[in-house]
Amino acid sequence: MTFKIALIRGDGIGPEVVGEAVKVMETIGKRFGHQFEFVDILMGGCAIDAVGTSYPDGTAEKCKACDAVLLGAVGGPKWGHATQPEKRPETALLSIRKDLGLYANLRPAALRPALSQACPLKKETADRGIDLMIVRELTGGIYFGKRERYQTEDRGEEASDRMAYSELEIERIGRRAFELARLRRGKLASVDKANVLETSRLWRQVMHRLAEEYSDVAYEDVLVDNAAMQLVRDPGQFDVVVTENMFGDILSDEASMITGSIGLLPSASIGDQAPGLYEPIHGSAPDIAGQDKANPIATILSVAMMFRYSFQLAAEADAIEQAVDAVLNEGWRTADIAGPGEPAIGTIQMGELIRSKLK
Ligand code: IPM
Ligand code: MG
């Protein structure tokens, strides 16, 4: 099979980690008999520098001509102060999510056995294991509602951000989450703030309707403040967690932290049509960019998600995940996951070791 993959290498450590992921794809291609064609796409801070806008015209069209998109990271302090939207790297991220219809963001947070000592929670908690998947709604809610700023008569300036959700938007993300729960351990927690927000009350109503249809899945409602607490108290209780855009943004960062390394976690953003977009959940880490220090594992595991969810190549995805675990089990660490006094290897060597397990 031939697959065409858009590469948004982006900013900071993005190009380095994508470089290692591309080499892993080439190794997989040789072993399993696939061809990969790569198309480079300029987006983010580097695009602001090159052409004056973070999301150049035609970006979405170029991605749509591919079977999947792999993104390194975009953004950095260099572009952090701009106020015009086209001069902000985040604008490109939000635009590509919307333009490609990527309404479902899957963010797994699993404690890898070799790294259980990196978990910042109590040992008894870590020993119970952590393996959850946050399903974050990605193209609706407060991220995409109307933003305003206006003068009031007596209270100075005022700002507002509108949060809206339709039944259609809630139902399609809900279905994704129930389907995923069926493929995993059959448990789904829906996180909302239904004791306060009307959007959450509609969210809950739709989720309850789906829970009847998917009666084989064990379903529960969890209020978002309680969910934040449960994630540090007893994360082992969660399997799939579905939630709206902003709650998902916050809870997925929290979930990544409890696994001990953000440098290990991949993500997938998918819609009803190809291409899906795959990216590490860490940022562009400008402080270590270009120094061969970044951990390429999150990006390499994002390729595994791409194979699994966009290409239905489960054996290839398993092979990548097993290669990563094998290297970690042998004790190899990049700086972000090295314990005190443990030696660390660089981005390139980590990539090479993972590929050596794939040959
Ligand atoms: C994320 C990021 C983005 C978000 C930012 C950079 C716009 O935090 O992907 O979680 O809030 O969605
Ligand atoms: Mg975030």
Side-chain angles (χ1 to χ4, degrees):
M1 290 271 278
T2 298
F3 300 96
K4 198 168 162 188
I5 296 166
L7 300 178
I8 301 175
R9 297 176 195 262
D11 307 316
I13 59 172
E16 294 163 74
V17 292
V18 169
E20 292 311 308
V22 164
K23 288 188 248 169
V24 165
M25 285 191 260
E26 283 164 345
T27 305
I28 286 277
K30 283 199 194 107
R31 172 162 153 198
F32 290 87
H34 306 299
Q35 303 285 327
F36 295 104
E37 191 186 319
F38 300 106
V39 180
D40 262 292
I41 291 178
L42 190 68
M43 190 184 105
C46 53
I48 300 175
D49 291 349
V51 297
T53 165
S54 65
Y55 192 62
D57 284 346
T59 301
E61 290 65 30
K62 283 184 199 152
C63 291
K64 282 181 189 169
C66 295
D67 300 308
V69 183
L70 182 69
L71 188 154
V74 299
K78 183 175 175 197
W79 308 281
H81 306 291
T83 47
Q84 308 110 287
E86 72 278 10
K87 302 281 182 200
R88 299 184 59 87
E90 295 77 18
T91 305
L93 263 186
L94 299 185
S95 304
I96 199 163
R97 289 171 182 173
K98 196 73 170 178
D99 290 347
L100 299 183
L102 307 172
Y103 63 82
N105 182 214
L106 314 185
R107 296 190 167 184
L111 191 60
R112 301 198 101 77
L115 287 172
S116 63
Q117 85 297 337
C119 173
L121 305 180
K122 283 197 196 122
K123 190 174 177 306
E124 313 89 88
T125 313
D127 287 346
R128 265 179 268 141
I130 303 172
D131 182 7
L132 60 96
M133 170 84 88
I134 295 190
V135 178
R136 168 189 177 192
E137 199 292 325
L138 201 60
T139 53
I142 202 163
Y143 271 61
F144 292 93
K146 187 168 182 203
R147 308 189 194 299
E148 286 178 287
R149 259 193 197 227
Y150 44 86
Q151 280 300 329
T152 63
E153 266 172 26
D154 49 353
R155 287 164 289 120
E157 205 179 0
E158 193 169 283
S160 86
D161 297 279
R162 182 167 184 266
M163 172 155 168
Y165 266 107
S166 64
E167 281 184 278
L168 181 148
E169 288 173 304
I170 303 167
E171 182 169 335
R172 66 183 183 184
I173 190 75
R175 281 194 188 282
R176 289 277 182 169
F178 276 101
E179 298 285 345
L180 260 170
R182 273 187 175 162
L183 295 175
R184 291 172 48 103
R185 302 192 303 278
K187 281 177 70 178
L188 177 64
S190 167
V191 172
D192 64 33
K193 189 70 186 172
N195 52 350
V196 178
L197 302 178
E198 201 53 40
T199 41
S200 283
R201 288 192 272 269
L202 180 62
W203 178 279
R204 200 175 268 211
Q205 189 182 315
V206 174
M207 289 295 164
H208 285 193
R209 209 154 69 205
L210 291 172
E212 278 180 35
E213 194 181 317
Y214 293 83
S215 55
D216 51 320
V217 173
Y219 173 88
E220 64 171 335
D221 300 305
V222 186
L223 291 171
V224 63
D225 47 351
N226 185 28
M229 182 176 80
Q230 296 302 331
L231 271 175
V232 291
R233 196 187 70 84
D234 177 23
Q237 69 184 287
F238 294 117
D239 179 11
V240 179
V241 175
V242 64
T243 192
E244 66 88 36
N245 205 343
M246 186 163 63
F247 296 162
D249 178 44
I250 299 167
L251 293 180
S252 62
D253 266 26
E254 188 187 0
S256 72
M257 185 64 215
I258 60 176
T259 68
S261 174
I262 199 160
L264 294 179
L265 300 181
S267 76
S269 302
I270 51 191
D272 291 326
Q273 281 145 8
L277 182 146
Y278 298 82
E279 60 180 311
I281 74 159
H282 59 68
S284 58
D287 52 320
I288 58 163
Q291 299 168 37
D292 191 35
K293 282 188 183 159
N295 187 345
I297 292 180
T299 314
I300 291 170
L301 291 174
S302 298
V303 169
M305 287 189 93
M306 176 191 291
F307 287 178
R308 199 180 295 288
Y309 295 110
S310 280
F311 304 156
Q312 277 72 48
L313 297 178
E316 289 81 343
D318 288 345
I320 293 176
E321 288 164 0
Q322 283 158 12
V324 166
D325 277 330
V327 171
L328 292 175
N329 286 336
E330 285 176 7
W332 300 101
R333 301 284 184 267
T334 41
D336 57 312
I337 49 176
E342 258 185 326
I345 58 170
T347 313
I348 295 171
Q349 196 183 347
M350 182 55 95
E352 267 165 17
L353 283 163
I354 293 169
R355 292 198 310 281
S356 73
K357 305 284 180 202
L358 284 170
K359 286 192 178 128

